[in-house]
Amino acid sequence: MTRTVLITGCSSGIGRESALRFQREGWNVIASMRTPADEKELVNLSNVICPALDVTQETTIRDAIAEGLHAFGNIDAVINNAGYGLIGPFEAFTADQINRQFQTDVLGLMAVTREILPHFRQRRSGLVINVASFAGRSIFPLYSVYHASKWAVEGFCDSLQYEVSSYGIQIKIIEPGLVKTEFWGRSTDRENRTGIKAYDKEARPVLDLIDNAAGLFATKPEDVADTIWNAANDGNNRLRYVVGVDAHTTLLARKVLTDKLYRGIMKTVFSPSSVSMLQKFSGKLQKMGNDAF
Ligand SMILES: NC(=O)c1ccc[n+]([C@@H]2O[C@H](COP(=O)([O-])OP(=O)(O)OC[C@H]3O[C@@H](n4cnc5c(N)ncnc54)[C@H](OP(=O)(O)O)[C@@H]3O)[C@@H](O)[C@H]2O)c1
C-alpha cells in the first residue's frame, strides 16, 4: 500500500526537497506550508496536496492532518521541518523575537507531534522525523536562543521515544550542519531591540561574516532530503542522523574536547581578528562555494 508522509515548511529548502524526494519515490505527500496560494510546483504533482499549516496555529495543524487523512486515508510519517534562526546578541532580542523562535521551532514541533500521535497510536505504527540541527548538540557564539530551541528539540525527542515506542511509534532526529537554503536569507531573524549598542564592536564583524559567508561550505538541501528519506526507510531504531562534514566534525569536537578547549577554539574562530582574515579570502571562498554547487 502507498505510504503517506506529512511534512511541515515545504515552501523552500529542506522541506521542499524532502517533499519532492518522497513524491518521486512513490509516496503520497502532504506538503504543508504557510501560504500554499504561492506554490506553483508541488501543487501540480500527482499524489501531492499542499494544505495550509502554520505550526504556531493549532487549528491549521488539525485541519491539515484531517485534509491529509481525507485525501490518502492514513499517515505513516510526519517530518517536523518548519523552522528558522534568530541570530545576534541575546540582550538585543525583543521578547517577541524570543517567543516566536520557541513558538515555531520547539512548541510548533511539539504541537504537530501531539496532534498526530493519536492516529499513530491507533494504528500501532508511525514515524516522527524531526529536523533539529548540529546546533542542538554543539554551541556557537551569537546563536543563544536558536541553540536553546534546538537543544530543547533534542531533549524532547530523546525522552519522547521511550513512551511511544511500545505503540510502534518511532522518533528520529536529523542533525544537518550548514545547508544552502533560505535559512541564511529570508529565514534569518536579526536582533531588533533598539538602543543596545554595547555588543557592536565584538559582534558586528562576526554577524557580517555570517551574512557574507554562511552557507559557503554548506550541504545541499537535497543531501538532507536524502538522509531523511533513508531515515524513513532504513527500518532500524537509530535515533540520530548527522548530515554534512561540518556537522560530523563539530559534533565530534564537542564530544571529545573538554568544555575549556572547545570554548577556546570557538573564541578563536569567531574572534574579530580571525573574522577579518576570513573576510579577506571571502571572495575566493564564495567562488569556491558557488563552483561547488
Ligand atoms: N539551512 C541550514 O543551515 C540548517 C541547518 C540545520 C538545521 N536547519 C533546520 O532545517 C529546517 C528547515 O530550514 P531550511 O534550511 O530548509 O530553511 P528554509 O528554506 O528557510 O525553510 C524553512 C521553512 O520553514 C517554514 N516556516 C517557518 N516558520 C513556519 C511556521 N510558523 N509554520 C510553518 N512553516 C514555517 C518556512 O515557511 P515560509 O515560506 O512560510 O517562511 C519554510 O518553508 C529548520 O528547522 C532549520 O532550523 C537548517
Side-chain angles (χ1 to χ4, degrees), residues 57-122:
Q57 307 289 329
E58 283 195 10
T59 50
T60 68
I61 299 172
R62 276 197 284 276
D63 289 351
I65 290 174
E67 200 178 323
L69 289 174
H70 180 73
F72 303 123
N74 284 319
I75 297 174
D76 299 275
V78 162
I79 301 171
N80 280 315
N81 161 76
Y84 71 95
L86 175 59
I87 304 172
F90 171 72
E91 199 185 325
F93 295 146
T94 64
D96 277 354
Q97 285 184 296
I98 296 166
N99 285 339
R100 195 168 76 92
Q101 179 78 94
F102 270 77
Q103 290 289 348
T104 308
D105 288 43
V106 184
L107 300 176
L109 173 146
M110 288 183 185
V112 174
T113 305
R114 202 182 46 208
E115 287 302 325
I116 199 65
L117 282 180
H119 178 65
F120 284 176
R121 227 173 0 86
Q122 204 175 24

Side-chain angles (χ1 to χ4, degrees), residues 8-15 34-35 53-56 81-84 104-105 131-134 146 150 176-184 186-187:
T8 63
C10 289
S11 68
S12 63
I14 295 167
R34 283 195 288 197
T35 46
L53 192 163
D54 181 331
V55 297
T56 66
N81 161 76
Y84 71 95
T104 308
D105 288 43
V131 181
S133 169
F134 73 148
Y146 181 68
K150 293 299 186 185
L178 307 180
V179 189
K180 227 177 163 67
T181 66
E182 295 293 336
F183 183 89
W184 302 103
R186 66 180 177 85
S187 295

Side-chain angles (χ1 to χ4, degrees), residues 33-225:
M33 57 190 76
R34 283 195 288 197
T35 46
D38 296 342
E39 178 56 37
K40 303 279 180 284
E41 185 188 13
L42 291 169
V43 278
N44 291 315
L45 297 177
S46 56
N47 300 329
V48 177
I49 60 167
C50 296
L53 192 163
D54 181 331
V55 297
T56 66
Q57 307 289 329
E58 283 195 10
T59 50
T60 68
I61 299 172
R62 276 197 284 276
D63 289 351
I65 290 174
E67 200 178 323
L69 289 174
H70 180 73
F72 303 123
N74 284 319
I75 297 174
D76 299 275
V78 162
I79 301 171
N80 280 315
N81 161 76
Y84 71 95
L86 175 59
I87 304 172
F90 171 72
E91 199 185 325
F93 295 146
T94 64
D96 277 354
Q97 285 184 296
I98 296 166
N99 285 339
R100 195 168 76 92
Q101 179 78 94
F102 270 77
Q103 290 289 348
T104 308
D105 288 43
V106 184
L107 300 176
L109 173 146
M110 288 183 185
V112 174
T113 305
R114 202 182 46 208
E115 287 302 325
I116 199 65
L117 282 180
H119 178 65
F120 284 176
R121 227 173 0 86
Q122 204 175 24
R123 301 184 68 211
R124 297 195 79 81
S125 162
L127 172 63
V128 185
I129 299 181
N130 302 281
V131 181
S133 169
F134 73 148
R137 286 194 296 132
S138 63
I139 291 294
F140 301 108
L142 299 173
Y143 281 88
S144 57
V145 176
Y146 181 68
H147 275 302
S149 76
K150 293 299 186 185
W151 280 64
V153 167
E154 292 272 350
F156 166 66
C157 296
D158 212 332
S159 176
L160 181 67
Q161 54 162 337
Y162 292 102
E163 72 209 44
V164 296
S165 62
S166 48
Y167 296 97
I169 301 167
Q170 269 189 303
I171 307 291
K172 299 201 173 199
I173 307 171
I174 310 295
E175 300 176 327
L178 307 180
V179 189
K180 227 177 163 67
T181 66
E182 295 293 336
F183 183 89
W184 302 103
R186 66 180 177 85
S187 295
T188 289
D189 190 14
R190 256 314 155 60
E191 74 279 11
N192 215 7
R193 190 170 166 213
T194 49
I196 310 288
K197 298 269 169 246
Y199 301 91
D200 275 6
K201 189 163 172 278
E202 294 267 313
R204 192 53 48 201
V206 178
L207 289 170
D208 286 349
L209 183 80
I210 290 169
D211 276 346
N212 294 323
L216 270 185
F217 303 106
T219 305
K220 289 175 282 182
E222 294 90 319
D223 300 333
V224 186

